[in-house]
Amino acid sequence: ATINDNGNSLHGGTRGFDKALWNAEPIESSRGPSIRCTYVSRDGEEGFPGAVAVAVTYALAGGNAIRIDYSGATDAPTILNMSNHTYFNLTGDPRKTILDHELMIDADAYTPVDATLIPTGEIASVAGTPFDFRTMTPIGARIDEDHDQLKKGGGYDLNWVLNNYSKKLRGAAELYDPESGRMMSVLTDQPGIQFYSGNFLNGTITGKKGIEYEHRTGLAMETQLFPDSPNKPAFPSAILRPGETYGHTAIFRFSVRK
């Protein structure tokens, strides 16, 4: 159901590891077949302080799941907020849109953005808005409503403030395709999730079998710290200091609901 993977992307003014050349090796893991990708970002790369050693391990875990474990360490205080920008389309046909997919996000609030899609620092309630996905709702049901946040992103492209944040792994979202019966559950230990509805896909990305990915034919669910955390003191901190270890786990679990 994954139609494209743009690699590990960082939000809110952090290092752009998505353009880096990573070292990759298969590893033995109790969680299942795994591959470990590592990279060292030198001190001053893209203007950020500290040499940062990061690793991302992808595992085909039990229960039809993909588990992603991130880790990082630095020799000077720096900023680190790793995520994954895989596009999903549960129909199995990337020529179809994701508008009929039903989505649940366990979040009572979201972080509004300005005209440049950077969070303003406000934490706003989802109640009575097109951003209330606390129960399963078709993505296309409200995506074109007259709301300034939808207009700014051309659809959904916001960070949701997940409930029950305790730095422990818990369920954050569910995605369901009524046509195929496929379901994806998202688990994370992070405080936020960026839901992006593929608003800027325009046929310039070509995938398997030469298929061009068009408007809203894929969506991303990016577990993360809040975007622009370094500039928003009230947001969970993205600062990593020497002696600390950055850690982040995301699980995408697939099933079928009849």
Side-chain angles (χ1 to χ4, degrees):
T2 303
I3 66 170
N4 185 49
D5 186 350
N6 283 347
N8 300 300
S9 60
L10 305 178
H11 298 285
T14 51
R15 302 171 191 242
F17 293 154
D18 55 321
K19 297 179 175 62
L21 182 62
W22 293 62
N23 294 314
E25 60 177 344
I27 62 171
E28 295 293 329
S29 171
S30 60
R31 295 193 173 102
S34 305
I35 186 169
R36 185 170 185 263
C37 303
T38 57
Y39 179 72
V40 177
S41 176
R42 67 186 184 279
D43 180 26
E45 183 174 337
E46 297 191 343
F48 290 92
V52 179
V54 292
V56 184
T57 300
Y58 298 86
L60 295 177
N64 295 319
I66 298 172
R67 179 180 175 121
I68 308 175
D69 290 294
Y70 307 83
S71 65
T74 182
D75 62 3
T78 192
I79 305 297
L80 190 59
N81 182 18
M82 302 177 72
S83 190
N84 182 277
H85 191 64
T86 298
Y87 285 114
F88 295 98
N89 183 325
L90 299 186
T91 69
D93 184 352
R95 292 165 296 193
K96 296 181 179 179
T97 75
I98 46 79
L99 296 179
D100 290 333
H101 285 41
E102 297 176 8
L103 177 65
M104 185 282 295
I105 302 176
D106 186 17
D108 295 332
Y110 71 102
T111 53
V113 296
D114 61 21
T116 64
L117 301 184
I118 298 298
T120 63
E122 178 188 3
I123 293 179
S125 172
V126 301
T129 76
F131 314 111
D132 189 348
F133 284 97
R134 290 176 291 184
T135 59
M136 280 288 195
T137 303
I139 291 172
R142 301 169 299 188
I143 197 170
D144 293 318
E145 283 191 9
D146 185 17
H147 193 289
D148 73 303
Q149 293 290 297
L150 290 172
K151 290 179 178 179
K152 288 172 180 176
Y156 294 108
D157 192 6
L158 293 168
N159 170 72
W160 271 254
V161 179
L162 295 172
N163 296 331
N164 304 315
Y165 174 55
S166 64
K167 298 185 179 181
K168 295 182 179 179
L169 198 64
R170 81 282 189 207
E174 290 186 341
L175 183 69
Y176 175 64
D177 173 41
E179 180 181 352
S180 66
R182 296 187 183 101
M183 174 171 281
M184 181 179 77
S185 301
V186 183
L187 296 84
T188 184
D189 54 11
Q190 296 296 287
I193 189 167
Q194 186 91 9
F195 164 43
Y196 170 58
S197 53
N199 315 313
F200 300 110
L201 292 175
N202 58 7
T204 57
I205 297 175
T206 301
K208 294 179 180 179
K209 300 180 181 179
I211 295 174
E212 297 175 344
Y213 299 146
E214 301 289 351
H215 189 229
R216 296 174 178 167
T217 56
L219 63 89
M221 303 293 291
E222 304 174 40
T223 59
Q224 60 181 5
L225 297 168
F226 301 169
D228 205 34
S229 296
N231 300 309
K232 304 294 188 295
F235 286 2
S237 176
I239 297 175
L240 181 68
R241 295 178 173 86
E244 299 176 342
T245 300
Y246 170 89
H248 170 184
T249 295
I251 296 176
F252 300 90
R253 180 173 294 146
F254 299 89
S255 60
V256 175
R257 190 178 81 187
K258 297 182 179 179

